[in-house]
Amino acid sequence: MREGTDRGETGQSEIRSGGRVGVTYKYFGAQNGATAARVPLSMRPEELGGDELGMGGMFTRIKPETVSAMVLTGIEGIPLHRVPPLELVVLHPDYAVVKLPMTVVDPLRGIGEESVGAAAFIWSTVPDRGGPSDAFNVYQLLHEWQDFSHRLHEAGHQPYCLVWP
């Protein structure tokens, strides 16, 4: 972990979300909710036949709600208040697993560079809890999600997120 970056993100989270700090998200694909529910903290999704976002699995502080909104507002033009909710798969005292709607990953498969760039610019102008994001960083993130979307589709998997403090 890069100390400076995480401290800054955690500091904002602490101020803006009423004192909750250190929530981590790990995105992965699985065939169904039952398989996704069996991904405990000590196991990697690929051990259950799943796929992970990023090389070797990417842990992030980006909320699934933010990812959903980023894709659906930037690419599909859906207003923020119409972004569909996440589906809770498992709620455990130590972690949770949520399912992202397929409408979050499907639009990424059919778009080109110009659309990714336009979506990144649009999202960079939308203030979220942490303030506007840099368009290039959003562009890179959308490309990672685009690759993830292709892998999910090829494997017949759905997108899930493991959430833990």
Side-chain angles (χ1 to χ4, degrees):
M1 282 197 221
R2 292 182 307 231
E3 186 178 324
T5 303
D6 290 335
R7 190 177 336 137
E9 289 175 7
T10 303
Q12 286 223 328
S13 174
E14 185 175 325
I15 292 168
R16 308 246 184 210
S17 65
R20 292 184 359 192
V21 294
V23 177
T24 303
Y25 307 96
K26 184 170 189 163
Y27 296 94
F28 65 97
Q31 292 176 346
N32 53 46
T35 302
R38 291 193 319 261
V39 178
L41 296 177
S42 61
M43 281 183 95
R44 298 178 53 83
E46 72 266 6
E47 292 177 28
L48 295 172
D51 190 8
E52 293 178 286
L53 176 64
M55 296 299 291
M58 186 168 84
F59 296 92
T60 181
R61 298 223 183 258
I62 299 173
K63 297 177 183 178
E65 298 90 340
T66 302
V67 172
S68 295
M70 187 184 314
V71 170
L72 295 175
T73 59
I75 295 172
E76 295 290 291
I78 295 173
L80 281 173
H81 70 278
R82 307 223 48 211
V83 173
L86 304 173
E87 179 184 324
L88 182 63
V89 176
V90 157
L91 181 59
H92 183 274
D94 297 326
Y95 64 92
V97 175
V98 295
K99 178 183 175 190
L100 283 76
M102 287 305 290
T103 55
V104 173
V105 293
D106 284 346
L108 290 167
R109 284 198 324 273
I111 64 171
E113 287 296 311
E114 287 182 13
S115 295
V116 172
F121 175 75
I122 290 167
W123 186 256
S124 72
T125 64
V126 175
D128 60 10
R129 293 178 188 174
S133 300
D134 177 75
F136 184 71
N137 290 338
V138 175
Y139 176 80
Q140 289 178 310
L141 177 68
L142 287 173
H143 263 295
E144 289 172 5
W145 271 89
Q146 192 174 37
D147 293 343
F148 186 50
S149 175
H150 284 289
R151 291 195 316 268
L152 288 177
H153 180 72
E154 290 168 7
H157 290 168
Q158 299 170 25
Y160 293 90
C161 183
L162 177 61
V163 181
W164 71 94

